[in-house]
């Protein structure tokens, strides 16, 4: 038994268990000595600083204790807003704004308010453009649960009454929601709305080291998109979540309404051109790195932790990407045969980075695996490397136009190196 990784999971998914068994790891219970615990977001709460639970050097888990700073819809927005303000205070060129006061580089989350707390601010904004549509989401739910669209203030008042609270001012027991400006001009393919699900692995927040999985996918709605207000209640038009779309009459069980990111890229290159497509994907990578930088200072950077996030991105018809939300527990349920293969490989490649050589973990290792083990992951940003090659200093001294997705990229033996990003 010595030398074999002992694993526990409270998520009974074959893509996980098959990967553990393939490595010859040994299953144990939570109450025995374990080295690797793939746990739900509910379970990680028991391992927080507050509970005083200590992990030993040969134990690792698949969540950071306060991952919710990124993965709760309200906290993600709060942290990104704080990050922008801090950069502005520092006089960073990243926080540059245009004449109308919009961020040039950091405007990647739709205008968002917390309800009930920001109700008055929201009303003020709503009245500036009363023809807009807004989307309401409960902060702590997933898979499209509890989401609805509104285009009249009376609908919010009705929601408030139905939620059994007399006033918007009281926080009381009322569930927190976020309300965001709905992107009503999404890029459509075949007349349908879609979003991108991209997988990002973070091995450490300070210094930040993150990896992008090359095999993300698009999730399509089953019903053609219309901005018409008469269809605001039709979630088959507006929400791409598979948990919702699989109940639609036109849901296809073979491809599951999914398209690979590679197919999207080829489609855009042929319809919009290579240059704009490359710029779009650069911008997507850029906003992912910025969102991680926004939460890095508040994240409990526990050396026993890594995390694989599911990023949801929507592209509008001007080919501008928007960060919609980040999932701490992206679905490991397979809706199609291709889906099963993708998720099995995702877990395989994640484990190869998180648990080098499939051996008993040692938290003291430097978390910088050799390129050969990355599989379908590629390094998205490595803060140590960036600081080491002076890129961070160089960027600080450069004028704004060379920053971010609009900046030039270094080439390393013909491959794009993204470590110069701030």
């Amino acid at each position: 038994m010595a030398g074999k990784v002992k694993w526990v999971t409270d998520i009974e998914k074959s893509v996980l268990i098959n990967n553990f068994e393939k490595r010859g790891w040994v299953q144990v219970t939570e109450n025995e000595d374990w080295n690797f615990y793939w746990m739900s977001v509910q379970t990680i709460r028991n391992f927080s600083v507050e509970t005083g639970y200590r992990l030993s050097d040969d134990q690792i888990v698949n969540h950071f204790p306060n991952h919710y700073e990124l993965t709760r819809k309200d906290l993600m927005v709060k942290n990104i807003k704080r990050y922008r303000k801090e950069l502005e205070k520092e006089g960073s060129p990243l926080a540059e704004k245009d004449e109308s006061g919009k961020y040039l580089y950091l405007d990647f989350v739709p205008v968002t308010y917390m309800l009930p707390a920001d109700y008055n601010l929201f009303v003020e904004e709503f009245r500036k453009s009363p023809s807009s549509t807004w989307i309401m989401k409960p902060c702590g739910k997933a898979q499209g649960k509890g989401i609805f669209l509104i285009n009249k203030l009376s609908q919010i008042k009705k929601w408030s009454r139905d939620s059994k609270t007399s006033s918007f001012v009281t926080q009381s027991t009322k569930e927190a929601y976020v309300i965001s400006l709905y992107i009503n001009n999404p890029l459509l393919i075949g007349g349908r709305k879609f979003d991108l699900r991209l997988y990002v692995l973070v091995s450490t927040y300070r210094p930040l080291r993150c990896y992008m999985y090359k095999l993300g996918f698009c999730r399509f709605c089953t019903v053609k998109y219309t901005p018409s207000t008469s269809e605001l209640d039709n979630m088959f038009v507006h929400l791409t979540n598979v948990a919702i779309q699989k109940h639609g009459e036109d849901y296809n069980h073979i491809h599951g309404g999914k398209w690979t990111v590679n197919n999207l890229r080829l489609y855009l290159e042929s319809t919009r051109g290579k240059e704009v497509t490359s710029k779009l994907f650069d911008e997507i990578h850029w906003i992912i790195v910025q969102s991680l930088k926004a939460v890095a200072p508040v994240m409990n950077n526990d050396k026993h932790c890594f995390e694989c996030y599911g990023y949801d991105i929507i592209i509008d018809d001007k080919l501008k990407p928007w960060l919609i939300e980040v999932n701490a527990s992206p679905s490991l349920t397979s809706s199609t045969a291709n889906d099963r293969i993708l998720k099995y490989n995702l877990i395989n490649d994640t484990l190869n980075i998180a648990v080098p050589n499939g051996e008993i973990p040692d938290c003291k290792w430097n978390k910088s695996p050799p390129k050969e083990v990355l599989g379908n992951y590629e390094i998205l940003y490595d803060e140590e490397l960036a600081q080491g090659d002076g890129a961070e200093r160089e960027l600080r001294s450069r004028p704004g136009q060379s920053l971010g997705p609009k900046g030039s990229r270094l080439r390393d033996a013909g491959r794009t190196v993204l470590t110069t990003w701030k």
Side-chain angles (χ1 to χ4, degrees), residues 221-283:
C221 289
T222 51
V223 176
K224 288 197 170 182
Y225 180 77
T226 168
S228 159
T229 51
S230 63
E231 289 288 359
L232 279 192
D233 293 337
N234 187 343
M235 290 303 127
F236 296 124
V237 170
H238 297 287
L239 295 189
T240 60
N241 310 68
V242 174
I244 287 172
Q245 293 296 333
K246 69 182 179 187
H247 300 295
E249 287 173 28
D250 300 320
Y251 181 72
N252 181 310
H253 290 272
I254 309 295
H255 58 63
K258 289 178 178 172
W259 229 28
T260 65
V261 165
N262 264 355
N263 276 346
L264 173 68
R265 194 164 197 145
L266 289 169
Y267 171 82
L268 290 175
E269 283 176 356
S270 61
T271 54
R272 302 292 188 104
K274 275 197 169 179
E275 201 176 318
V276 291
T277 303
S278 285
K279 179 173 176 284
L280 166 67
F281 279 91
D282 271 0
E283 291 190 15

Side-chain angles (χ1 to χ4, degrees), residues 39-100:
M39 59 178 68
S40 67
V41 287
Q42 287 76 28
T43 306
I44 190 67
R45 291 175 190 162
N46 307 329
F47 293 82
S48 66
V49 179
E50 290 76 48
T51 60
Y53 191 101
R54 305 281 299 185
L55 291 175
S56 56
D57 278 351
D58 63 354
Q59 291 183 305
I60 56 171
V61 298
N62 65 313
H63 293 295
F64 287 90
N66 60 337
H67 62 82
Y68 45 78
E69 295 285 356
L70 177 66
T71 60
R72 250 186 79 112
K73 300 170 183 77
D74 52 344
L75 295 179
M76 178 189 84
V77 170
K78 187 181 112 187
N79 283 314
I80 288 171
K81 285 179 178 174
R82 193 205 67 246
Y83 175 63
R84 288 169 174 164
K85 286 205 177 89
E86 284 170 359
L87 286 174
E88 231 174 308
K89 243 189 236 164
E90 287 170 19
S92 167
L94 282 184
E96 203 180 318
K97 292 180 173 176
D98 65 13
E99 307 75 53
S100 64

Side-chain angles (χ1 to χ4, degrees), residues 10-168:
D10 58 1
I11 301 173
E12 294 295 315
K13 293 289 178 195
S14 60
V15 292
L16 284 175
I17 293 161
N18 292 347
N19 263 300
F20 302 151
E21 289 176 347
K22 175 184 89 164
R23 287 166 167 74
W25 293 0
V26 180
Q27 183 170 16
V28 294
T29 67
E30 188 181 342
N31 302 321
E32 297 175 78
D33 284 342
W34 53 265
N35 306 115
F36 185 89
Y37 196 155
W38 191 288
M39 59 178 68
S40 67
V41 287
Q42 287 76 28
T43 306
I44 190 67
R45 291 175 190 162
N46 307 329
F47 293 82
S48 66
V49 179
E50 290 76 48
T51 60
Y53 191 101
R54 305 281 299 185
L55 291 175
S56 56
D57 278 351
D58 63 354
Q59 291 183 305
I60 56 171
V61 298
N62 65 313
H63 293 295
F64 287 90
N66 60 337
H67 62 82
Y68 45 78
E69 295 285 356
L70 177 66
T71 60
R72 250 186 79 112
K73 300 170 183 77
D74 52 344
L75 295 179
M76 178 189 84
V77 170
K78 187 181 112 187
N79 283 314
I80 288 171
K81 285 179 178 174
R82 193 205 67 246
Y83 175 63
R84 288 169 174 164
K85 286 205 177 89
E86 284 170 359
L87 286 174
E88 231 174 308
K89 243 189 236 164
E90 287 170 19
S92 167
L94 282 184
E96 203 180 318
K97 292 180 173 176
D98 65 13
E99 307 75 53
S100 64
K102 260 196 180 162
Y103 288 101
L104 285 175
Y105 308 109
L106 298 172
D107 175 36
F108 55 80
V109 178
V111 174
T112 298
Y113 296 96
M114 317 309 156
L115 293 183
D118 297 339
Y119 179 66
N120 292 337
L121 286 170
F122 160 69
V123 170
E124 205 179 303
E125 188 65 35
F126 182 93
R127 289 192 170 133
K128 285 183 197 166
S129 47
S131 57
S132 300
T133 298
W134 294 76
I135 184 164
M136 289 216 27
K137 301 177 182 182
C139 290
K141 289 192 177 145
Q143 299 185 315
K145 292 186 189 88
I147 295 179
F148 57 98
L149 275 65
I150 66 133
N151 62 347
K152 294 189 184 74
L153 280 178
S154 58
Q155 292 162 304
I156 291 218
K157 286 171 182 156
K158 179 182 183 304
W159 164 78
S160 176
R161 281 197 305 276
D162 294 350
S163 302
K164 299 180 178 58
T165 181
S166 55
S167 157
F168 258 115

Side-chain angles (χ1 to χ4, degrees), residues 197-213:
R197 161 55 59 88
L198 300 171
Y199 298 104
V200 176
L201 173 64
V202 175
S203 57
T204 159
Y205 272 99
R206 293 190 299 279
L208 179 60
R209 188 174 293 123
C210 53
Y211 305 84
M212 166 72 78
Y213 201 62

Side-chain angles (χ1 to χ4, degrees), residues 320-375:
K320 176 179 169 64
W322 295 92
L323 173 57
I324 302 303
E325 65 184 35
V326 184
N327 297 273
S329 227
S331 167
L332 296 176
T333 305
S334 310
S335 51
T336 67
N338 281 345
D339 214 25
R340 187 171 297 110
I341 294 164
L342 180 144
K343 285 169 182 173
Y344 176 85
N345 289 332
L346 170 72
I347 299 300
N348 181 53
D349 292 348
T350 300
L351 294 177
N352 285 343
I353 294 173
V355 191
N357 308 318
E359 293 167 0
I360 289 179
D362 176 4
C363 289
K364 296 194 173 99
W365 80 294
N366 71 357
K367 297 201 175 191
S368 187
K371 285 197 176 83
E372 304 76 70
V373 305
L374 297 186

